[in-house]
């Protein structure tokens, strides 16, 4: 069979830390749920002169990390097809390269940050911003609440939003969960001190975006009638609204605009804010946006 017809794997980056274990467990569940192969990747450059000092990042010293991860995957799901790889690239470069041949990439991150804290780990942000496929950032396995289970997706009518909705509906189907679509209007639309013409213009844009979201949701709901969909239209801070809705959910999905000439150098402020503060794993779905000639 030509390689192009082989199923793309779920790729997960592993280290010897606790966050890696959590990411691995999510990746095993993802591969099992979607019946896809699992590819376990451990990356990190070797020392420039291995004859000097200790060798903490040689292939030999890293082999137990890969072996333990593969053993766990096969123990939890014996029929799962598992492959492994040790790369001498940096973790972010290795994962971004693997994303070109993957169904999705799973990456671990340190615990949920308080609002006053610093940025999320650089590897998580870089991979989420530059990957060619959806990236799921996992800090801890979700504490799903019985009264708020489901997949949550942020939608705003953009091309990135359309890709996020497509992915979110597929996840809802695979996991047999309801889907919550959250569309946030910026609070400034209703601020009284804005000039009437500007208020009207902003309100028109918001209404147009809402119509686009409704149309896109209806299209996917028709394709996946088994998915129970709840739409929430809010006037709020987008980061706060999405983080609030992530509480008790199994997965939060965001779209990410990727320029054709410079693939995802940075994430938008909403994506970064949500990645830092969400209460559940966050999937960042890239959408290629071509610039005008």
């Amino acid at each position: 069979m030509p390689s192009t017809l082989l199923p793309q794997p779920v790729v997960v980056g592993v280290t010897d830390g606790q966050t890696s274990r959590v990411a691995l467990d999510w990746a095993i569940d993802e591969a099992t749920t979607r019946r896809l192969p699992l590819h376990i990747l451990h990356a990190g450059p070797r020392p420039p002169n291995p004859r000097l000092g200790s060798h903490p990042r040689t292939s030999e010293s890293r082999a137990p990390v890969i072996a333990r991860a593969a053993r766990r995957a096969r123990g939890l799901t014996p029929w799962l097809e598992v492959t492994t790889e040790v790369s001498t690239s940096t973790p972010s470069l290795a994962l971004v390269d693997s994303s070109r041949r993957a169904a999705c990439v799973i990456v671990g991150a340190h615990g949920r940050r308080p609002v006053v804290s610093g940025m999320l780990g650089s590897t998580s942000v870089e991979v989420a911003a530059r990957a060619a496929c959806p990236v799921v950032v996992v800090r801890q396995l979700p504490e799903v609440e019985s009264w708020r289970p489901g997949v949550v997706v942020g939608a705003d009518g953009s091309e990135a939003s359309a890709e996020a909705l497509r992915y979110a509906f597929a996840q809802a189907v695979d996991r047999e969960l309801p889907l919550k679509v959250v569309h946030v209007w910026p609070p400034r639309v209703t601020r009284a001190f804005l000039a009437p013409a500007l208020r009207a213009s902003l309100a028109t844009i918001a209404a147009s975006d809402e119509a686009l979201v409704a149309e896109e949701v209806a299209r996917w709901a028709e394709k996946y009638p088994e998915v129970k969909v709840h739409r929430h239209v809010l006037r709020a801070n987008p980061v706060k609204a999405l983080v609030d809705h992530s509480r008790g959910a199994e997965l939060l999905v965001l779209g990410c605009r990727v320029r054709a000439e410079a693939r995802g150098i940075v994430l938008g402020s909403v994506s970064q804010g949500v990645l830092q503060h969400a209460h559940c794993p966050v999937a960042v779905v890239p959408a290629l946006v071509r610039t005008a000639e």
Side-chain angles (χ1 to χ4, degrees):
M1 179 184 293
S3 60
T4 54
L5 299 180
L6 294 175
Q8 294 178 310
V10 172
V11 173
V12 59
V14 298
T15 65
D16 55 1
Q18 177 60 29
T19 57
S20 170
R21 170 74 171 267
V22 172
L24 174 63
D25 284 355
W26 179 272
I28 294 168
D29 179 71
E30 179 78 358
T32 302
T33 299
R34 298 175 64 182
R35 304 192 72 82
L36 293 174
L38 177 67
H39 185 68
I40 303 172
L41 173 65
H42 185 38
R46 292 189 178 96
N49 186 351
R51 294 184 178 180
L52 301 177
S54 61
H55 319 302
R57 286 192 174 275
T58 61
S59 296
E60 292 79 8
S61 67
R62 291 184 288 174
V65 175
I66 283 285
R68 285 195 300 270
R71 208 161 42 238
R72 180 167 180 79
R74 294 185 178 111
L76 290 174
T77 310
W79 56 262
L80 189 62
E81 179 185 340
V82 180
T83 55
T84 62
E85 176 185 356
V86 174
S87 171
T88 56
S89 296
T90 65
S92 56
L93 288 177
L95 289 166
V96 169
D97 180 63
S98 293
S99 75
R100 300 183 181 97
R101 303 173 294 279
C104 65
V105 169
I106 316 297
V107 59
H110 292 293
R112 182 173 176 269
R113 305 294 185 93
V115 175
V116 295
S117 76
M119 296 300 293
L120 193 72
S122 59
T123 297
S124 302
V125 172
E126 187 173 355
V127 174
R130 297 179 57 205
C133 69
V135 174
V136 181
V137 178
V138 185
R139 293 187 205 81
Q140 59 185 30
L141 296 179
E143 297 179 1
V144 179
E145 297 176 0
S146 59
W147 60 282
R148 292 183 76 176
V151 176
V152 178
V153 58
D156 61 7
S158 66
E159 294 173 74
S161 168
E163 285 299 306
L165 280 167
R166 178 191 60 77
Y167 181 84
F169 265 94
Q171 284 285 322
V173 170
D174 289 340
R175 297 176 180 277
E176 299 181 345
L177 290 170
L179 177 64
K180 184 183 296 184
V181 181
V182 180
H183 178 211
V184 184
W185 291 17
R188 65 178 180 273
V189 171
T190 58
R191 286 182 179 172
F193 62 80
L194 292 178
L198 181 56
R199 287 204 305 274
S201 175
L202 290 173
T204 299
I205 293 171
S208 175
D209 288 347
E210 183 184 354
L212 288 173
V213 170
E215 182 179 348
E216 192 72 23
V217 169
R219 184 167 74 89
W220 287 109
E222 183 177 357
K223 183 174 182 179
Y224 297 113
E226 66 271 38
V227 177
K228 187 174 182 179
V229 181
H230 305 278
R231 287 187 60 218
H232 296 262
V233 180
L234 310 168
R235 289 188 177 94
N237 176 282
V239 173
K240 184 179 185 305
L242 290 167
V243 168
D244 286 347
H245 280 279
S246 75
R247 191 186 301 274
E250 187 159 316
L251 179 68
L252 171 61
V253 182
L254 301 174
C256 174
R257 291 169 62 87
V258 177
R259 296 290 177 184
E261 74 280 6
R263 200 166 187 86
I265 301 305
V266 294
L267 286 176
S269 59
V270 172
S271 296
Q272 290 209 33
V274 172
L275 280 172
Q276 289 181 69
H277 307 306
H279 298 272
C280 68
V282 179
V284 180
V285 182
L288 186 63
V289 179
R290 301 191 180 277
T291 55
E293 298 293 336

